[in-house]
Amino acid sequence: MRNLWMIVSGLAVVVAIGGAVYYFFPKQPMNPEVSSAAPLAPPSGSSVLVVPASNPLLTADKAQLEQWVSLYPIRCGEIVFEKVDAKSRNFNFCVGEIRRRVTHDTGTAINREEVLDANVRAHWRSVMGSK
């Protein structure tokens, strides 16, 4: 019985340490290929969505959003971008965590309003394929 207890408790410690490492040490940012080509001008007569350069969440791809919006231990994407309930238990934590991760990876500090922007919510939903 004692051997079984030692195995179970050892497994629990390994899982706890692995979860902590996964949560507190996010993946390193990917370095996108730098293109030397000049940006293409939009065709005449078409409308162009102008995205402010100061908010990296508006231009993030799926890998970046997965890195910045935590899925473990709390599903911050659902809390902040789907339910959008400021009274939710972990809402403030999730917004702060998104801000911290974006600032850490990009060097661009964003504020709470930029995280909660409707354009960011729409971009997250379209990239992540949610409702």
Side-chain angles (χ1 to χ4, degrees), residues 5-64:
W5 174 247
M6 294 297 289
I7 291 172
V8 170
S9 63
L11 183 62
V13 168
V14 168
V15 169
I17 290 173
V21 167
Y22 178 79
Y23 180 72
F24 288 112
F25 298 105
K27 297 177 191 173
Q28 295 297 321
M30 294 181 171
N31 295 329
E33 295 292 326
V34 178
S35 174
S36 62
L40 298 174
S44 61
S46 67
S47 62
V48 176
L49 176 64
V50 177
V51 177
S54 63
N55 191 347
L57 288 171
L58 291 172
T59 57
D61 60 8
K62 187 170 184 171
Q64 289 171 322

Side-chain angles (χ1 to χ4, degrees), residues 57 65-85 88 90-91 93-95 97-98 101 115-116 120-126 128-131:
L57 288 171
L65 287 175
E66 286 175 346
Q67 181 177 355
W68 296 339
V69 181
S70 76
L71 294 173
Y72 177 81
I74 302 165
R75 295 183 177 270
C76 287
E78 292 176 11
I79 293 170
V80 175
F81 300 121
E82 287 182 15
K83 296 177 183 174
V84 195
D85 180 15
S88 177
N90 294 311
F91 187 82
F93 169 79
C94 287
V95 171
E97 186 66 16
I98 292 168
R101 289 180 180 203
V115 173
L116 299 176
V120 172
R121 185 179 322 121
H123 177 70
W124 186 84
R125 288 179 177 175
S126 68
M128 300 307 283
S130 76
K131 313 176 210 177

Side-chain angles (χ1 to χ4, degrees), residues 86-107:
K87 295 179 182 178
S88 177
R89 180 176 170 209
N90 294 311
F91 187 82
N92 291 327
F93 169 79
C94 287
V95 171
E97 186 66 16
I98 292 168
R99 289 179 60 206
R100 185 189 67 78
R101 289 180 180 203
V102 169
T103 302
H104 175 73
D105 288 347
T106 65

